[in-house]
Amino acid sequence: MSVPDTSHARPGAGSDTAPVWVRNPALVFGLAAGVFLAGLGLVAGRPELAVVALPALVTAGFGARGRRSGLGIGGGAPVRTTTELAPSDSGRGVRYRTEVTATDPAEAVAVEFRVAGDRRHVVVVDARTAARLSGTVPVTHSGPQEILRTHVSLLGPGGTALSAPAAGPVASAVVPPPHLPVQHLPMPHRVTGISGAHDSARPGDGGEFRDVAAFTPGDRLRRIDWRRTARRAERPGDLYVRRTFATADALVVLVVDGRDDLGPDVTRWSGARHGAHETTSLDLAREAALSLATAYVGAGDRVGFRALGGAARSVEPGGGTRHLERLRSTIATVTPTGDADGPTRMPLVPAASLVVVLSTFLDDQPATMATTWAATGHRVVAVDVLPTPDLRRASRHERLAFRLLALEREDRLAEMTATGVERISWQRDDGSSPAVQLRLLSRPRRAG
C-alpha cells in the first residue's frame, strides 16, 4: 500500500489516573533476606553475616520512611497523561507526543505504548524525560483507527514503592487514504454541464469543429469563414460561419461498497480480524475512490459520492478544492457495518452520469445495482477491489469453499460485463497499474 497522508489525524484526549502504590517486591525480599542473615549471624556467631545484612535493613528503613510520606500502600496524587497526534515529517505514519506529569515524587516512570497492530513497547525514563516522549507509529490501513494507547507505572524514590499500571488515554485518528496519479479517465456517454473541458453534443464555443452554416442573428463576426463565404455565397450579403461544439463538464458518481472489509488471507473472511499489515478491500476502495475523485475534480468535472452500506454519508456532485476536501474526509470515514448480507437500498444517481462502483462483488447486490444503472442509460465502470487471495493457510475445506465462491464471483462479473458494465481491477495478479486499465476505457465518446 502506498504511504498514506495523515493530515487529518486528530489529537487524543488526556486522562487523569490516581496511582495505587504498593511495596516493591524486591524490597520485601531484601528485608526478609536481611533479617535472615542477621539472625543467622547472631546464632552462628558470624558477625560478617550481619555486615552483609546491613544494606538490606537500611533499604527497608528508607521504605518505611517512604510509606510515612505517602508512597506506601494506598492511593496517591493523580498522574496526568496526554497524547497528541500529528502527521509525521516523512509522511510514513503518525507522529505522537506523550506527556506524563506526576505530582507524587517518582524516581522513574514506566510507559507502555500499545500501537496499531497490538504491538507493545515499554520505555523506562526519569520524570523529566517522561514529560516529552515522542515517536512515530507506522500505519498500514486508512480510515478511522486506534493509533496509540498508554499504560503508566511509577517507581518511588529509592525504588521502595511502585504503582500498579494505570490505563492512559486512547489516541485515535482518521487516516486519509493515499491516491494514485491518474491522467486518462473514462467519460460518461454524454456530458450535460454548462461549461467544462469536454466536448458536448450541442453547438457552442470552445470545442471541436462541428460544421459550416449560414450566418444567423446572434453569430459572432469572428466566426465568419471568409473562404467558404467566397466559394458558396450566391448573392451579396451571404455569409457563412464555422460552428463548434460547446464544452461541458462530466458528472461522476462514486459508489463505494463499505459493507465488509476483507484481507488477502481467505481463512479470515468468515469474520475473524484481518492481519495488521495486510491491505484490505476497503483500503483499496478508499484509495481508488480518492484517486478517481482527485483526477476528475482536477479536470474540472463534478464528482459525487454514495456509500453502499458502511458508515459514511453521501456527498452531492460538485467541483473545486473545497469539494475535494469534503470528498477526501468522507471517503476516509467509510467503515464496515458488520452486516454484509442485509438488504441495501439502491442509491440515487443523477441522469447522464458516469457511475463507478467499487466493490468486492462477492454477492449479488452491487452487481445487480451496476446492471440496473447500465440498463437505464448510465455508463458504469466496476472497480474490483478484492485483494489477491492468499490460500497458504487454508485447509482443504477452506480451499474448496473459496473455489466455489470464486466461481460464483466470476460468473457474476461475466454477466455484469455482458450487460455493458466495464470492469477494471485495482489490484491485479500481474501487477499492472490501474492507470493503464483506465487509459483503455478513456477513448473519446461523442454522444449522438
Side-chain angles (χ1 to χ4, degrees):
M1 181 176 178
S2 303
V3 177
D5 178 15
T6 57
S7 59
H8 287 70
R10 294 195 301 262
S15 66
D16 294 321
T17 56
V20 179
W21 292 96
V22 296
R23 296 189 184 94
N24 192 336
L27 175 64
V28 177
F29 290 130
L31 178 61
V35 173
F36 174 77
L37 290 176
L40 183 62
L42 181 63
V43 172
R46 302 281 301 273
E48 62 273 14
L49 294 179
V51 174
V52 173
L54 182 61
L57 297 176
V58 172
T59 303
F62 280 108
R65 179 182 178 183
R67 287 172 53 188
R68 289 192 299 268
S69 62
L71 295 181
I73 301 175
V79 177
R80 178 69 176 175
T81 305
T82 58
T83 299
E84 295 182 355
L85 302 180
S88 64
D89 297 334
S90 62
R92 298 181 177 275
V94 179
R95 182 165 49 89
Y96 68 89
R97 177 181 175 86
T98 299
E99 298 181 1
V100 181
T101 305
T103 303
D104 287 339
E107 186 169 305
V109 179
V111 184
E112 180 187 61
F113 294 102
R114 298 183 183 180
V115 300
D118 292 334
R119 298 186 300 272
R120 301 186 179 186
H121 304 277
V122 179
V123 295
V124 180
V125 295
D126 55 33
R128 179 177 299 179
T129 305
R132 55 177 188 274
L133 298 174
S134 61
T136 301
V137 177
V139 293
T140 304
H141 304 290
S142 59
Q145 56 189 284
E146 177 184 305
I147 301 298
L148 182 73
R149 66 170 60 209
T150 57
H151 288 75
V152 179
S153 179
L154 304 179
L155 181 66
T160 58
L162 53 85
S163 66
V170 178
S172 301
V174 178
V175 180
H179 69 274
L180 299 178
V182 178
Q183 296 180 351
H184 303 279
L185 298 168
M187 290 289 109
H189 292 311
R190 57 192 177 94
V191 289
T192 59
I194 299 177
S195 63
H198 314 290
D199 291 330
S200 67
R202 67 181 188 275
D205 295 331
E208 296 181 353
F209 173 75
R210 184 173 185 265
D211 58 9
V212 176
F215 182 89
T216 58
D219 289 338
R220 298 184 179 182
L221 296 179
R222 63 184 180 87
R223 289 192 173 275
I224 297 177
D225 190 335
W226 295 107
R227 292 185 179 180
R228 294 292 181 94
T229 299
R231 289 197 301 263
R232 298 176 59 176
E234 298 179 357
R235 57 182 182 271
D238 288 347
L239 298 174
Y240 289 88
V241 295
R242 295 173 57 89
R243 297 193 303 179
T244 59
F245 288 100
T247 57
D249 55 11
L251 180 58
V252 182
V253 178
L254 305 175
V255 181
V256 176
D257 185 0
R259 296 173 301 155
D260 54 13
D261 191 14
L262 304 178
D265 191 355
V266 299
T267 62
R268 300 176 181 266
W269 285 8
S270 59
R273 186 177 180 183
H274 53 72
H277 301 288
E278 299 175 345
T279 300
T280 65
S281 60
L282 264 188
D283 290 331
L284 295 176
R286 298 188 196 100
E287 177 183 326
L290 182 58
S291 300
L292 294 173
T294 303
Y296 277 111
V297 172
D301 298 320
R302 291 174 294 156
V303 181
F305 176 82
R306 302 287 188 268
L308 182 60
R313 64 185 186 273
S314 297
V315 178
E316 294 304 317
T321 304
R322 288 188 176 181
H323 185 74
L324 180 59
E325 289 298 325
R326 190 180 304 112
L327 286 171
R328 180 181 287 111
S329 60
T330 304
I331 292 172
T333 58
V334 177
T335 53
T337 57
D339 185 16
D341 299 327
T344 303
R345 184 176 180 180
M346 186 171 180
L348 298 177
V349 297
S353 60
L354 169 67
V355 184
V356 182
V357 183
L358 304 100
S359 174
T360 58
F361 298 101
L362 290 177
D363 64 290
D364 293 330
Q365 293 194 43
T368 301
M369 294 179 184
T371 302
T372 303
W373 284 319
T376 56
H378 297 282
R379 186 182 183 185
V380 182
V381 176
V383 180
D384 183 6
V385 294
L386 183 68
T388 303
D390 184 3
L391 299 171
R392 291 177 297 178
R393 301 179 183 177
S395 63
R396 184 172 63 88
H397 297 289
E398 290 171 335
R399 289 175 181 269
L400 179 60
F402 169 75
R403 185 178 179 183
L404 294 175
L405 186 64
L407 289 175
E408 293 179 356
R409 179 174 177 272
E410 288 300 324
D411 290 341
R412 188 177 299 115
L413 293 174
E415 293 176 0
M416 201 170 51
T417 304
T419 60
V421 177
E422 300 165 277
R423 169 193 168 193
I424 67 171
S425 297
W426 202 256
Q427 186 183 70
R428 297 187 54 155
D429 297 338
D430 57 7
S432 61
S433 172
V436 177
Q437 305 173 61
L438 290 171
R439 184 174 184 176
L440 298 177
L441 302 180
S442 62
R443 297 171 182 175
R445 291 171 176 253
R446 179 177 295 177

